[in-house]
Amino acid sequence: MTYVIAQPCVDVKDKACIEECPVDCIYEGQRSLYIHPDECVDCGACEPVCPVEAIFYEDDTPEEWKDYYKANVEFFDDLGSPGGASKLGLIERDHPVIAALPPQAAE
Ligand code: SF4
Ligand code: SF4
């Protein structure tokens, strides 16, 4: 089990969650952030600080955003387990589910 970042983060990325994570497992992609499924220790600290309520416990992810579980997992397919997001900084790509979205900027 892990926490998942869903659609509300896309094009928002205010990064409040990063500061709360004790294990530095929230990674920054081009348009969204991603929680590393193996590095996350399920502490839940990130979830309440997200201003747009983008973070969900895996089982509580709303049905419409179930794909985001896969997106958070598959984003790391070729990164493996880097063991810390801050040393990588911005990763200039997104999972295809997110890359395919139209701009999500606030209206
Ligand atoms: S706090 Fe929410 S919107 Fe901000 S980066 Fe984290 S998941 Fe995205
Ligand atoms: S649940 Fe805890 S360990 Fe997992 S991403 Fe959120 S703050 Fe980090």
Side-chain angles (χ1 to χ4, degrees):
M1 290 294 167
T2 182
Y3 279 75
V4 171
I5 294 181
Q7 187 164 329
C9 181
V10 179
D11 297 333
V12 174
K13 294 207 316 187
D14 84 349
K15 304 188 196 169
C17 55
I18 287 182
E19 293 178 19
E20 297 301 321
C21 182
V23 295
D24 192 23
C25 72
I26 307 179
Y27 292 73
E28 183 181 5
Q30 194 75 45
R31 296 179 63 194
S32 181
L33 276 75
Y34 301 84
I35 293 177
H36 196 297
D38 300 328
E39 295 177 359
C40 173
V41 295
D42 291 356
C43 72
C46 56
E47 190 254 311
V49 302
C50 176
V52 293
E53 296 182 29
I55 304 178
F56 298 91
Y57 188 56
E58 179 182 333
D59 278 353
D60 298 333
T61 310
E63 200 55 44
E64 60 187 312
W65 293 327
K66 287 289 185 204
D67 280 358
Y68 285 79
Y69 168 71
K70 219 166 56 138
N72 281 251
V73 171
E74 292 176 357
F75 184 73
F76 297 98
D77 276 355
D78 60 352
L79 287 173
S81 196
S86 52
K87 64 184 179 205
L88 292 191
L90 174 67
I91 300 158
E92 293 183 340
R93 60 181 172 77
D94 282 295
H95 184 272
V97 163
I98 285 134
L101 290 172
Q104 305 287 302
E107 290 166 17

